Amino acid sequence: MRILSGIQPSGALHIGNYFGMIRPPSRCKPKAKRSISSPIIMRSLLCAIRKPCARTSRRVALDFLACGLDPERATLFRHSDVPQVTELAWILSTVAPMGLLERAHSYKDKLARGMAPTVGLFNYPVLMAADILIYDSDVVPVGKDQKQHIEMTRDLAVKMNETFGQVFKLPEPRINPQTQVIPGLDGQKMSKSYGNNIDIFGDEKETRKRVMSIVTDSTPVEAPKHLERSTIVQLYSLFASKDELANMKEQFNKGGTGYGDFKKELFEKLWNISCRCANAAKKFCATNRTSTMFSHAAQRARMKSPIKSCSACAKQWAYVNRTG
């Protein structure tokens, strides 16, 4: 099974990135060896980093390594190192209906938040589809808000297969109920663009300040608190053991503990992980491992992608010549 994930290196990683994308690959167990043509890739995860620039790409790669990603089991590479993806994106755009792209929730959301309505932004689901389809991905772990993109990818794959024959697999979304929407400081989905994120590698003072600024209601200290609407409990559940989470829920239901004390508990859990990852990051930074990793990963990624994109291109040209 081939699992693909992607991230835009637009700045420091936050805990939504960590639990939604970084930790699942780092915890993935290698599957038993089977009779397959590309055992390294088939037993790995393919993590494509989009919109790269040198500094932020290295930073994201370093953060992935520090958070436990094993580059021998996961191919972490830059989008720009596989130019066949943009070739395939153009091919897919020739069968992509305008109506399909106009229905994209993420496009509408970004326009509502003030982003310019560019062609690149409008066509972004096509580029994402190319990222996924070119590697014959079986599964794509996504948040709840990204499920539509996988459905659009499947639609484009079906259109290509109907027109040019069986070219692409139909990938399946994988949504973890616990991490499908990780809340930010204000209870909305955690995102750097919303300014409600808590960074993994933030300094202690800033991290504490952001955790203590989590929005809560006005329930008095002595009164029971609302579990189902609590951002604190949702975030704490990502870090805590079952017993620790059960204890916090009991304290919420019983009352007598203020939100400030619960936020302090959350901060301690978050800071333990942050310190561990930061120490690992220092070691990787000293070895300059990211440059070597990107070089090897790009070769591994290109081993598969040219075959698929050229296959699609050849079938398209054959169709054009046939229909004249």
Side-chain angles (χ1 to χ4, degrees):
M1 176 182 291
R2 182 171 298 131
I3 305 173
L4 184 138
S5 296
I7 188 172
Q8 296 182 20
S10 54
L13 298 180
H14 55 70
I15 61 175
N17 300 136
Y18 177 74
F19 287 101
M21 184 195 169
I22 300 175
R23 195 168 71 159
S26 67
R27 289 189 166 190
C28 183
K29 305 294 184 189
K31 295 186 180 296
K33 189 172 182 179
R34 298 175 294 204
S35 175
I36 48 181
S37 58
S38 303
I40 294 177
I41 294 178
M42 289 296 286
R43 291 173 61 191
S44 297
L45 305 172
L46 295 170
C47 301
I49 300 182
R50 296 187 185 85
K51 296 184 180 177
C53 69
R55 183 172 60 84
T56 55
S57 292
R58 284 196 296 270
R59 169 65 188 271
V60 168
L62 184 64
D63 289 351
F64 267 75
L65 293 172
C67 291
L69 190 75
D70 184 353
E72 295 302 317
R73 287 163 45 193
T75 305
L76 179 65
F77 62 95
R78 292 174 295 203
H79 186 270
S80 57
D81 286 336
V82 187
Q84 291 82 4
V85 174
T86 52
E87 174 190 355
L88 180 57
W90 174 254
I91 295 172
L92 292 176
S93 72
T94 65
V95 299
M98 288 284 290
L100 180 68
L101 301 181
E102 288 171 345
R103 291 192 294 273
H105 301 319
S106 62
Y107 177 70
K108 296 177 182 178
D109 180 63
K110 287 179 171 60
L111 293 189
R113 294 181 178 276
M115 290 189 67
T118 64
V119 173
L121 182 63
F122 183 72
N123 282 347
Y124 184 71
V126 179
L127 178 62
M128 181 181 286
D131 280 331
I132 296 168
L133 296 175
I134 200 168
Y135 301 108
D136 277 339
S137 306
D138 296 295
V139 173
V140 184
V142 292
K144 185 178 180 180
D145 61 318
Q146 291 289 318
K147 182 181 178 182
Q148 187 192 40
H149 280 307
I150 309 305
E151 294 170 348
M152 295 169 76
T153 296
R154 291 171 59 90
D155 288 342
L156 293 176
V158 168
K159 285 186 175 295
M160 289 291 291
N161 291 345
E162 289 176 346
T163 305
F164 305 114
Q166 192 62 33
V167 181
F168 297 114
K169 286 184 178 181
L170 301 185
E172 296 288 343
R174 176 181 293 174
I175 301 176
N176 184 333
Q178 188 181 20
T179 60
Q180 61 179 336
V181 179
I182 296 177
L185 302 177
D186 55 1
Q188 297 186 71
K189 175 193 172 185
M190 185 174 292
S191 172
K192 290 186 287 289
S193 61
Y194 299 166
N196 64 355
N197 53 295
I198 303 174
D199 293 341
I200 302 173
F201 297 97
D203 65 76
E204 183 176 4
K205 183 177 180 180
E206 177 62 21
T207 301
R208 186 188 299 273
K209 179 180 177 181
R210 294 188 74 78
V211 171
M212 297 304 292
S213 71
I214 292 174
V215 176
T216 56
D217 59 32
S218 57
T219 304
V221 172
E222 64 277 7
K225 313 296 189 295
H226 298 287
L227 279 171
E228 65 277 3
R229 298 200 302 266
S230 175
T231 298
I232 299 172
V233 173
Q234 290 182 60
L235 293 177
Y236 190 75
S237 69
L238 301 174
F239 298 94
S241 66
K242 290 183 179 179
D243 290 341
E244 290 169 333
L245 179 59
N247 181 63
M248 176 174 280
K249 288 183 175 180
E250 182 182 349
Q251 295 301 316
F252 257 69
N253 288 324
K254 185 170 63 174
T257 305
Y259 284 122
D261 292 324
F262 291 126
K263 292 177 182 179
K264 290 176 183 177
E265 288 187 52
L266 172 60
F267 169 76
E268 293 301 328
K269 285 292 181 184
L270 167 60
W271 191 243
N272 285 338
I273 289 181
S274 181
C275 288
R276 186 169 67 247
C277 292
N279 290 333
K282 291 177 182 178
K283 296 178 182 179
F284 287 120
C285 189
T287 61
N288 194 29
R289 189 174 178 181
T290 56
S291 297
T292 302
M293 183 189 70
F294 275 147
S295 177
H296 292 166
Q299 294 178 19
R300 293 170 66 183
R302 286 194 296 264
M303 284 173 61
K304 182 64 180 177
S305 60
I307 299 173
K308 182 59 65 176
S309 59
C310 289
S311 171
C313 189
K315 290 190 176 184
Q316 187 184 49
W317 277 113
Y319 178 82
V320 170
N321 291 332
R322 185 170 66 250
T323 56

